[in-house]
Amino acid sequence: MIDQLYRKAVLTVSGQKPIETLVRSRGWGVAQRFVAGEDAQSALRAVKELEKDGILGNLDLLGEFVTSPDTANEFAGRVLSLLDDAHAARLKPYVSVKLSSVGQGMTVEGEDLGLANARRIVARAKGYGGFVCLDMEDHPRVDQTLAQFRTLVGEFGNAHVGTVLQSYLYRTEGDWASLQDLEPNLRIVKGAYLEPETVAMPDKADVDAAYRRLVYAQMKAGSYVNVATHDEGLIADVEHFALAHGISRDAFEFQMLYGVRRDLQKDLAARGYRVRAYIPYGRDWYPYFSRRIAERPANVMFVLRGMFKG
Ligand code: FDA
């Protein structure tokens, strides 16, 4: 409950225009803890750097809520260029995409533009032997995102496209069950958006319990699972579950955010687990940065110190 209040306070304050203006003008130095840089080359350098510790990358071009088909297409074009750049740098591209940023909800020539652009992106990634994960956004987008995920798996198979389920939503275990015919590649997260109590569990203990159930169910079903959390207790439980049930280390991976718990990322990789860092980059870093601050009270002090020092 307290976590929920804290998250609500931070996301409400960070949504105020004067705060946004202030943080955008003074906060870039601090944001760089969580954001790899403003362009694709910086993000690719971060991937190469992490590789030295045996950690894989998951590239995320930042940008949310586009307002016109032109800007959505332009954004999709930048993701396609990122795939080309990653391939040219001899990396198997792994990217995350928010369907809202490529036009979800806009209809062009009778089709949802988000789906049309996602199709171009998954086709390009597949051509390079890569992978695209459809990030999950706030709850009004869940139905359409899952439907579009289903369409894309139908067209490209489940080895090149995956999506995300958020354990804080009451609906999610039902969603998990409804996707099982696809043998889907799923990233399980707790959920990062400010959601009403009618749709999301307010108590952290319930969210954590649902998280365990989802990961264990996905493992038992034999489908690939991306365990995306920094919660050490959860990670230890997943390790034990996998050992106890004979789940191979090839059947799952741990995923964490760039700049968060690097020690834990390195430790898991050194112990032979597959670990992937989610590496955001781009000029539109503010909404992503706000969600990271909302996840941990200590981050607010980190930001204030960083913005007003000297
Ligand atoms: P929890 O919040 O319980 O934190 C556990 C511990 O981790 C904390 O005590 C702290 O030490 C550390 N920690 C967590 N967040 C931190 C931070 N920002 N800074 C410093 N320390 C921190 N959400 C979503 O809604 N849709 C999505 O598509 C994704 N995608 C995604 C991908 C990946 C790879 C990750 C790791 C996470 C996401 N998320 C997400 C975000 C997710 O929903 C959630 O908000 C964060 O992972 C924080 O929750 P934890 O599971 O880490 O646990």
Side-chain angles (χ1 to χ4, degrees), residues 71-256:
T71 49
N73 289 334
E74 197 259 329
F75 189 86
R78 289 167 63 203
V79 178
L80 292 171
S81 302
L82 168 65
L83 293 169
D84 296 340
D85 290 347
H87 178 66
R90 292 204 214 108
L91 293 167
K92 207 178 253 188
Y94 190 121
V95 299
S96 286
V97 176
K98 287 186 176 46
L99 288 172
S100 65
S101 65
V102 293
Q104 188 184 60
M106 297 176 194
T107 305
V108 173
E109 291 174 12
E111 189 177 49
D112 185 79
L113 184 60
L115 176 60
N117 275 327
R119 183 179 285 126
R120 292 160 64 207
I121 292 167
V122 178
R124 183 79 56 95
K126 183 173 178 173
Y128 294 145
F131 190 83
V132 180
C133 183
L134 309 176
D135 279 350
M136 193 56 79
E137 302 176 69
D138 51 349
H139 79 274
R141 290 191 180 270
V142 175
D143 277 333
Q144 200 173 14
T145 299
L146 294 182
Q148 294 180 340
F149 170 63
R150 175 172 287 283
T151 303
L152 293 166
V153 172
E155 294 175 12
F156 298 100
N158 61 12
H160 299 281
V161 58
T163 193
V164 180
L165 293 181
Q166 299 154 320
S167 72
Y168 65 6
L169 296 183
Y170 290 110
R171 59 174 287 170
T172 295
E173 288 179 71
D175 288 335
W176 178 83
S178 74
L179 293 172
Q180 285 313 294
D181 59 307
L182 303 178
E183 300 181 6
N185 178 313
L186 294 175
R187 179 198 303 158
I188 309 295
V189 301
K190 292 186 188 178
Y193 292 82
L194 183 57
E195 298 287 17
E197 286 190 18
T198 44
V199 300
M201 302 167 200
D203 286 328
K204 182 170 162 48
D206 294 331
V207 178
D208 291 355
Y211 190 100
R212 284 187 180 78
R213 286 196 298 276
L214 285 161
V215 171
Y216 298 166
Q218 180 77 355
M219 282 183 158
K220 278 205 243 166
S223 298
Y224 199 82
V225 55
N226 305 289
V227 183
T229 182
H230 315 91
D231 186 327
E232 281 193 86
L234 269 182
I235 290 171
D237 287 351
V238 169
E239 286 188 65
H240 290 139
F241 184 90
L243 269 178
H245 292 80
I247 309 286
S248 149
R249 288 186 181 196
D250 291 336
F252 66 99
E253 66 188 50
F254 292 110
Q255 296 192 345
M256 290 181 222

Side-chain angles (χ1 to χ4, degrees), residues 41-56:
Q41 290 313 319
S42 317
L44 293 172
R45 269 197 301 281
V47 177
K48 297 268 183 194
E49 203 49 45
L50 287 164
E51 265 182 359
K52 293 180 190 158
D53 291 320
I55 296 167
L56 299 162

